[in-house]
């Protein structure tokens, strides 16, 4: 069975703090894809990143960075120097290579206070 | 980048009625999907909208309740039938461009409230 766990329901930080959102996944597949999406208060789901299971290289995009560790089945997301505009619900998702279905975690609500 | 639009953006409906939601993309897509997000919850896939044929539904979702059409490569509709307050959710369409292994992009969502 496939499953995505985001244990942190809600995180509150003050602007400029670094924050890490955890994502742990379960799958029996050897080939799969991991995703992060951002859902701001407006409700739209914004794609942030896709990572293939065979590519464990970490990625950095501006203030965002992702740490993929197959050994611990984790795909964590770090925001450096957080800003109020980062306030949103962040979803981690998993997809097997042989299906189109995205399995979403329950999301982590991030609140960044000024 | 492509634009995905949904109509209506929100609606308030009476119990027992139906609501049809439209999803329009300004370029051809490989795949289209419909998701439901109940209040404070995560997203759940309802079905894959197949062009010119019946949609493929996930467990727990049936065609009588959620009829879906996809007449071409850029447009799909989801109808939520015989509404009850439990249907109050955000309904989102998502699309894949190019190869089916690419990421899914989501429309802005339709916020439905059933009284």
């Amino acid at each position: 069975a496939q499953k995505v766990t985001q244990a942190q329901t809600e995180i509150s930080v003050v602007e400029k703090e670094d924050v890490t959102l955890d994502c742990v996944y379960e799958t029996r597949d050897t080939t799969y894809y991991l995703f992060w999406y951002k859902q701001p208060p407006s409700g739209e789901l914004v794609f942030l990143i896709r990572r293939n299971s065979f590519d464990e290289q970490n990625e950095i995009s501006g203030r965002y960075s992702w740490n993929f560790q197959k050994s611990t089945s984790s795909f964590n997301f770090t925001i450096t120097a957080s800003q109020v505009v980062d306030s949103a619900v962040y979803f981690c998702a998993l997809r097997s290579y042989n299906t189109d279905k995205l399995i979403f975690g329950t999301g982590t609500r991030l609140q960044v206070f000024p | 980048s492509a634009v995905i639009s949904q109509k209506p953006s929100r609606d308030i409906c009476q119990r027992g009625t139906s609501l049809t939601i439209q999803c329009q993309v300004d370029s051809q897509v490989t795949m289209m999907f419909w998701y439901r997000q109940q209040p404070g919850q995560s997203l759940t896939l309802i079905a894959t909208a197949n062009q010119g044929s019946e949609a493929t539904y996930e467990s727990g979702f049936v065609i009588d309740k959620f009829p879906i059409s996809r007449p071409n490569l850029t447009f799909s509709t989801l109808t939520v039938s015989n509404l009850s307050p439990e249907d109050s959710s955000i309904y989102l369409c998502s699309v894949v461009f190019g190869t089916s292994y690419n990421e899914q992009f989501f429309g802005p969502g339709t916020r439905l409230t059933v009284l």
Side-chain angles (χ1 to χ4, degrees):
Chain A
Q2 296 189 317
K3 186 179 177 182
V4 176
T5 300
Q6 294 180 255
Q8 303 152 308
T9 305
E10 189 164 338
I11 301 174
S12 295
V13 298
V14 177
E15 226 176 0
K16 298 184 183 177
E17 284 186 25
D18 298 347
V19 58
T20 294
L21 309 181
D22 298 333
C23 173
V24 175
Y25 63 92
E26 295 176 29
T27 180
R28 294 181 181 173
D29 297 323
T30 54
T31 302
Y32 51 90
Y33 307 90
L34 295 163
F35 305 82
W36 276 96
Y37 287 88
K38 173 183 179 180
Q39 188 175 42
S42 59
E44 185 173 355
L45 217 62
V46 179
F47 166 77
L48 296 177
I49 190 172
R50 180 187 75 170
R51 175 60 70 214
N52 304 330
S53 57
F54 46 85
D55 180 5
E56 286 195 71
Q57 201 168 18
N58 292 328
E59 182 151 341
I60 298 174
S61 176
R63 296 184 298 107
Y64 294 171
S65 63
W66 291 269
N67 186 307
F68 178 28
Q69 301 263 358
K70 282 183 80 170
S71 60
T72 55
S73 297
S74 65
F75 186 42
N76 297 336
F77 173 31
T78 298
I79 301 175
T80 304
S82 59
Q83 300 176 1
V84 173
V85 294
D86 296 327
S87 297
V89 179
Y90 290 85
F91 291 97
C92 180
L94 165 70
R95 204 193 95 185
S96 177
Y97 77 100
N98 61 353
T99 177
D100 306 308
K101 182 177 180 178
L102 278 175
I103 306 296
F104 282 87
T106 51
T108 297
R109 180 179 299 276
L110 173 65
Q111 294 197 61
V112 182
F113 294 98
Chain B
S1 59
V3 176
I4 307 168
S5 60
Q6 284 186 233
K7 289 182 182 179
S9 58
R10 57 178 63 228
D11 207 342
I12 301 174
C13 298
Q14 294 296 321
R15 186 194 298 259
T17 63
S18 298
L19 177 70
T20 295
I21 303 167
Q22 298 179 1
C23 179
Q24 177 75 57
V25 192
D26 66 354
S27 59
Q28 292 185 354
V29 302
T30 305
M31 312 197 70
M32 297 183 83
F33 307 89
W34 287 99
Y35 286 81
R36 180 177 73 183
Q37 185 179 23
Q38 295 175 301
Q41 302 297 314
S42 187
L43 286 83
T44 302
L45 178 64
I46 297 172
T48 303
N50 301 311
Q51 188 206 351
S53 64
E54 191 172 292
T56 304
Y57 290 86
E58 295 297 307
S59 175
F61 298 96
V62 295
I63 188 171
D64 289 345
K65 176 67 176 178
F66 298 98
I68 289 170
S69 78
R70 187 182 170 193
N72 56 50
L73 292 174
T74 64
F75 183 78
S76 177
T77 66
L78 166 71
T79 299
V80 189
S81 304
N82 190 24
L83 290 168
S84 68
E86 293 71 36
D87 295 319
S88 297
S89 299
I90 299 175
Y91 292 86
L92 301 102
C93 70
S94 75
V95 302
V96 175
F97 300 97
T99 171
S100 61
Y101 296 107
N102 287 342
E103 50 273 14
Q104 293 184 23
F105 292 94
F106 285 79
T110 296
R111 189 179 297 270
L112 168 62
T113 301
V114 183
L115 302 178

